[in-house]
């Protein structure tokens, strides 16, 4: 069969947030490069701007099996198979280990891990049949270490690192290439503006972490500075940098296994193994918000 070039891209709504900003920007970039892009989100009204620019839009909820099947079947009917899957849909759960309801932890993994796994399973038969395809997984520099307050979100990124490595070795013989995207913090991404934005459950607030959460919001303020960042914000990356890396993973004859975007992502990935666990933990304590 003729190899499909159709791109299925999750998490494309034009609202704020790391995944949505990256998905929106990537959809436009690939569309303008001539790729048949299917931009998806749970609510297609949030894709109106992309549709107005000629991009095909579909409803897709990675926690809804029927929704995923319908999207894959539509693209298969149009192009024979999904040629490129960009797993971008995600959200960040904020909460400490002992105060986060287990139901919220399950929801985090349903979206960030299990939905990604199931959607990837659904596109693989078509890719195998055409003896080729690209699968891009949106991970993070936090797929290599964790910080207080976002351990469950970061655990999902650790999981994606393992899944990406395993999948790549399993499907290589079918001509399917798998790449992981590991950005540094993205300006304007999952950045809270108030403690209320964190979504920490009031039912589980003990007061033990009040000072931590206040500082947590202040500390992340550096990444809200999207136009003229200062301090830590200067080391962050923007959505277009991430979209360029995704485009390379899609178009290169020999894509990288990992795309580490920005100075922090490149340095931290190696730092732990260079200086050792104790020294690395001291770095985390000195740089990131820590409960006192």
């Amino acid at each position: 069969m003729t190899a499909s070039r159709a791109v299925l891209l999750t998490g494309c709504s034009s609202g704020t947030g790391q995944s949505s900003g990256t998905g929106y920007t990537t959809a436009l970039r690939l569309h303008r490069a001539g790729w048949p892009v299917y931009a998806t989100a749970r609510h297609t009204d949030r894709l109106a701007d992309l549709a107005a620019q000629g991009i095909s839009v579909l409803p897709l909820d990675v926690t809804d099996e029927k929704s995923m099947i319908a999207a894959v079947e539509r693209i298969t009917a149009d192009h024979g198979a999904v040629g490129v899957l960009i797993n971008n849909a995600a959200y960040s759960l904020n909460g400490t280990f002992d105060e986060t309801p287990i139901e919220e932890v399950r929801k985090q993994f349903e979206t960030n891990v299990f939905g990604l796994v199931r959607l990837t399973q659904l596109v693989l038969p078509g890719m195998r049949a055409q003896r080729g395809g690209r699968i891009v997984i949106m991970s993070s520099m936090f797929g290599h270490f964790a910080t207080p307050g976002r351990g469950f979100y970061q655990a999902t990124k650790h999981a994606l690192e393992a899944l990406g490595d395993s999948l790549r070795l399993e499907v290589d013989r079918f001509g399917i290439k798998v790449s992981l995207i590991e950005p540094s913090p993205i300006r304007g991404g999952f950045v809270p503006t108030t403690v209320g934005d964190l979504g920490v459950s009031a039912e589980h607030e003990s007061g033990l972490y009040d000072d931590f959460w206040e500082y947590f919001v202040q500390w992340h303020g550096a990444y809200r500075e999207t136009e003229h960042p200062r301090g830590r914000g200067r080391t962050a990356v923007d959505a277009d940098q991430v979209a360029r890396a995704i485009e390379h993973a899609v178009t290169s004859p020999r894509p990288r296994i990992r795309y580490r975007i920005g100075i922090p992502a490149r340095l931290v990935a190696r730092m732990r193994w260079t200086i050792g666990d104790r020294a690395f933990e001291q770095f985390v304590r000195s740089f990131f918000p820590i409960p006192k």
Side-chain angles (χ1 to χ4, degrees):
M1 63 184 291
T2 302
S4 168
R5 297 176 73 248
V7 178
L8 173 54
L9 174 53
T10 65
C12 295
S13 58
S14 57
T16 58
Q18 176 178 316
S19 63
S20 60
T22 300
Y24 178 83
T25 305
T26 302
L28 283 176
R29 188 175 191 89
L30 292 176
H31 171 68
R32 289 166 180 167
W35 291 77
V37 176
Y38 288 77
T40 71
R42 285 181 296 174
H43 305 291
T44 54
D45 59 324
R46 300 190 68 187
L47 302 171
D49 185 55
L50 293 176
Q53 299 188 61
I55 296 175
S56 298
V57 300
L58 293 174
L60 192 155
D61 181 347
V62 296
T63 66
D64 181 345
E65 174 95 359
K66 292 182 179 178
S67 168
M68 290 187 282
I69 291 173
V72 173
E73 288 181 344
R74 161 67 188 280
I75 298 171
T76 301
D78 290 350
H79 296 273
V82 173
V84 177
L85 172 62
I86 302 173
N87 285 300
N88 176 65
Y91 74 96
S92 177
L93 175 65
N94 301 295
T96 57
F97 197 100
D98 57 334
E99 293 191 328
T100 303
I102 192 63
E103 295 80 9
E104 295 301 317
V105 178
R106 290 192 175 102
K107 288 179 183 177
Q108 176 81 131
F109 275 80
E110 283 290 344
T111 296
N112 291 14
V113 180
F114 303 141
L116 177 151
V117 169
R118 184 59 186 136
L119 185 57
T120 302
Q121 289 177 335
L122 290 171
V123 304
L124 281 173
M127 289 185 177
R128 284 196 302 269
Q130 68 175 8
R131 304 299 294 183
R134 300 291 171 99
I135 296 171
V136 179
I137 297 173
M138 178 61 71
S139 182
S140 167
M141 64 178 278
F142 293 105
H144 295 282
F145 71 105
T147 60
R150 279 186 172 160
F152 296 114
Y153 164 72
Q154 292 158 349
T156 67
K157 298 305 182 181
H158 279 66
L160 297 188
E161 292 289 324
L163 290 168
D165 283 344
S166 178
L167 177 64
R168 186 176 52 259
L169 296 171
E170 291 171 0
V171 300
D172 180 66
R173 65 195 176 110
F174 302 111
I176 303 169
K177 300 184 184 302
V178 180
S179 294
L180 289 149
I181 308 296
E182 298 177 354
S184 301
I186 301 174
R187 285 189 288 272
F190 295 139
V191 184
T193 57
T194 68
V195 174
D197 291 339
L198 297 173
V200 177
S201 173
E203 296 178 3
H204 290 75
E205 288 181 359
S206 63
L208 291 173
Y209 300 99
D210 287 353
D211 292 342
F212 165 70
W213 289 124
E214 290 287 348
Y215 180 53
F216 186 92
V217 172
Q218 295 172 19
W219 188 91
H220 282 86
Y223 302 107
R224 290 194 294 270
E225 300 169 353
T226 57
E227 298 299 325
H228 303 287
R230 297 165 292 173
R232 290 187 307 277
R234 289 181 295 179
T235 67
V237 298
D238 58 39
D240 191 59
Q241 288 174 270
V242 183
R244 288 200 302 270
I246 293 173
E247 182 180 30
H248 188 274
V250 170
T251 61
S252 173
R254 193 180 181 193
R256 299 176 195 169
I257 291 174
R258 285 176 169 78
Y259 288 82
R260 296 184 172 119
I261 308 163
I263 293 173
R266 292 195 293 271
L267 290 181
V268 171
R270 299 173 176 84
M271 186 176 174
R272 187 174 198 162
W273 315 118
T274 302
I275 67 176
D277 285 340
R278 293 289 184 186
F280 186 80
E281 183 161 299
Q282 284 303 117
F283 158 72
V284 173
R285 287 177 177 275
S286 66
F287 189 78
F288 294 93
I290 303 291
K292 302 295 184 182

